[in-house]
């Protein structure tokens, strides 16, 4: 009989911090530790990684910082991902940029993440992107083993369609706790393609990657970006706050309970985002942003 792993929903902070860009921040281990501490002080305890970030370097940079103060480990929830094979300098063994969800790869990837992060366990492991070759039964066996060994507490997916999510869920005893997908005022696709409806139906928390469209929301020069910037700027003036805070409020206003994964390495920006959680947007405000992004009135 399969082991029953924790049948609970998403256990994490209302907004999360991502470490995809950690290598670009050029921080010393002490500075990275300071940044991690600042996240925790702000109540942002869910910290998002992936094995491949920074060409397989970011988890280790984080781990080196955490080693300076290991007691912080239990004050955070570490999310990491596996499944993408990325040819890079540090992985000359990888020839083709592709996906791998064989049990052997999942297990080896988790061991590597644990070693790099200098942790005993991962809170949540996500399958990074769907693969046509994913065998859900084999993934389920790997998840069972990882849970039984105490290496991973919860499991989820990223960039999965509702059907792909359901297929994997059908082979698992415990609920997948998230589907991390791209959501921002410049990326409306998953608001409309059933992804958010499906997660809401199953009471699964969506995590939003690139909630500021990777910075495009503020610096983008496309017609769409400019339309959205105009509305964000108007709303920020009306509410006497910053444009990025309006975006956080806009994502949190959605009834699916979206958890945005913030991407800046600047504490001030994360602090502003946390403050943005208390801004309330009227439905008029929310739709002004929606309509600006769509470039046309709703039908
Ligand atoms: P983001 O918050 O949309 O973008 C961050 C970028 O925007 C940074 O370069 C940042 O620059 C810039 N920025 C933030 N606030 C700004 C402002 N007010 N004005 C101008 N620029 C601003 O998030 P992201 O980094 O693209 O993604 C966030 C996290 O999502 C990642 O760290 C990763 O954990 C996760 N992710 C997951 C997937 C997936 O497939 N599951 C894919 C992509 C990302 P500064 O650093 O200078 O502030």
């Amino acid at each position: 009989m399969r082991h029953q792993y924790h049948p609970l929903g998403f256990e994490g902070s209302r907004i999360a911090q991502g470490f995809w860009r950690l290598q670009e921040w050029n921080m010393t281990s002490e500075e990275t530790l300071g940044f991690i501490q600042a996240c925790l002080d702000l109540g942002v305890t869910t910290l998002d990684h992936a094995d491949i970030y920074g060409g397989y370097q970011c988890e280790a940079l984080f781990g080196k910082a955490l080693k300076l103060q290991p007691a912080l480990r239990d004050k955070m929830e570490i999310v990491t991902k596996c499944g993408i094979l990325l040819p890079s300098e540090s992985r000359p063994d990888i020839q083709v940029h592709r996906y791998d969800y064989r049990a052997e790869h999942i297990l080896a990837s988790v061991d590597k993440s644990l070693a790099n992060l200098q942790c005993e366990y991962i809170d949540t492991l996500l399958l990074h992107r769907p693969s046509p070759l994913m065998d859900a039964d084999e993934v389920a066996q790997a998840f069972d083993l990882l849970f039984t060994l105490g290496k991973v507490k919860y499991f989820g997916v990223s960039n999965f369609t509702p059907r792909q999510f359901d297929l994997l869920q059908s082979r698992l005893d415990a609920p997948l706790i998230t589907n991390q997908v791209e959501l921002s005022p410049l990326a409306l696709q998953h608001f409309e393609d059933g992804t958010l409806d499906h997660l809401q139906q199953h009471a699964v928390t969506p995590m939003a990657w690139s909630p500021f469209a990777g910075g495009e929301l503020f610096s983008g020069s496309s017609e769409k970006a400019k339309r959205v910037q105009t509305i964000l700027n108007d709303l920020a003036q009306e509410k006497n706050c910053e444009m990025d805070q309006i975006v956080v409020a806009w994502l949190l206003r959605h009834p699916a309970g979206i958890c945005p994964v913030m991407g800046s390495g600047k504490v001030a920006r994360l602090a502003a985002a946390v403050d943005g959680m208390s801004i309330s947007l009227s439905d008029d405000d929310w739709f002004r942003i929606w309509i600006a992004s769509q470039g046309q009135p709703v039908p």
Side-chain angles (χ1 to χ4, degrees):
M1 196 183 83
R2 254 195 219 152
H3 198 94
Q4 291 277 338
Y5 35 85
H6 210 310
L8 277 186
F10 187 74
E11 292 203 344
S13 48
R14 188 69 183 85
I15 65 176
Q17 173 65 40
F19 286 83
W20 175 29
R21 301 174 193 269
L22 175 57
Q23 201 182 32
E24 295 167 26
W25 300 338
N26 281 319
M27 292 177 174
T28 62
S29 294
E30 287 73 16
E31 287 166 340
T32 304
L33 179 66
F35 183 74
I36 295 168
Q37 182 69 66
C39 293
L40 301 179
D41 290 346
L42 286 165
V44 178
T45 57
T46 300
L47 308 181
D48 188 74
H49 294 267
D51 58 342
I52 57 166
Y53 286 171
Y56 294 92
Q57 304 299 314
C58 289
E59 285 185 329
L61 292 173
F62 183 94
K64 273 187 200 149
L66 190 55
K67 199 180 176 196
L68 300 174
Q69 217 168 311
L72 289 187
R73 170 64 188 98
D74 291 333
K75 299 183 193 303
M76 63 182 73
E77 303 87 39
I78 293 184
V79 178
T80 196
K81 314 183 192 81
C82 69
I84 300 180
L85 298 189
L86 198 64
S88 61
E89 240 173 65
S90 59
R91 292 296 304 270
D93 54 311
I94 298 174
Q95 308 292 321
V96 177
H97 182 179
R98 64 178 178 90
Y99 309 128
D100 189 349
Y101 292 109
R102 292 187 184 277
E104 189 186 359
H105 176 72
I106 295 173
L107 300 175
S109 184
V110 166
D111 283 344
K112 195 114 200 329
S113 290
L114 289 171
N116 284 335
L117 293 161
Q118 310 215 26
C119 288
E120 302 287 314
Y121 64 95
I122 287 161
D123 292 273
T124 303
L125 179 72
L126 309 185
L127 304 188
H128 206 151
R129 284 192 173 272
S131 166
L133 294 184
M134 184 189 81
D135 177 339
D137 291 300
E138 186 171 351
V139 172
Q141 282 174 12
F143 282 6
D144 274 348
L145 187 59
L146 288 169
F147 180 82
T148 306
L149 295 173
K151 293 183 180 182
V152 179
K153 291 184 176 181
Y154 306 100
F155 299 90
V157 294
S158 182
N159 304 300
F160 272 42
T161 66
R163 294 298 292 269
Q164 291 161 340
F165 184 104
D166 285 345
L167 165 60
L168 181 57
Q169 184 64 76
S170 73
R171 302 302 202 275
L172 303 175
D173 294 325
L176 292 165
I177 68 160
T178 192
N179 187 6
Q180 186 178 118
V181 294
E182 185 181 18
L183 298 168
S184 81
L186 292 186
L188 300 185
Q189 180 191 348
H190 299 309
F191 289 86
E192 298 197 284
D193 67 2
T195 300
L196 287 182
D197 311 287
H198 174 261
L199 294 172
Q200 215 178 329
Q201 179 185 352
H202 296 286
V204 174
T205 300
M207 295 179 82
W209 61 259
S210 294
F212 296 161
E216 183 78 7
L217 257 184
F218 311 109
S219 59
S221 54
S222 67
E223 286 307 309
K224 178 173 162 180
K226 283 195 270 182
R227 287 195 305 270
V228 174
Q229 283 157 14
T230 302
I231 296 296
L232 291 177
N233 192 34
D234 290 351
L235 286 167
Q237 288 192 10
E238 283 168 30
K239 293 179 187 298
N240 197 21
C241 67
E242 301 297 326
M243 285 161 65
D244 47 3
Q245 295 179 308
I246 298 290
V247 179
V248 171
W250 187 82
L251 287 167
L252 265 59
R253 171 70 184 78
H254 193 279
I258 295 166
C259 169
V261 186
M262 313 312 297
S264 171
K266 300 187 172 99
V267 173
R269 286 194 170 151
L270 184 61
V274 169
D275 282 346
M277 286 162 51
S278 56
I279 294 169
S280 69
L281 292 185
S282 69
D283 292 6
D284 277 357
D285 297 336
W286 199 91
F287 272 101
R288 284 165 73 189
I289 295 170
W290 178 270
I291 292 161
S293 179
Q294 299 274 20
Q296 58 188 20
V298 296

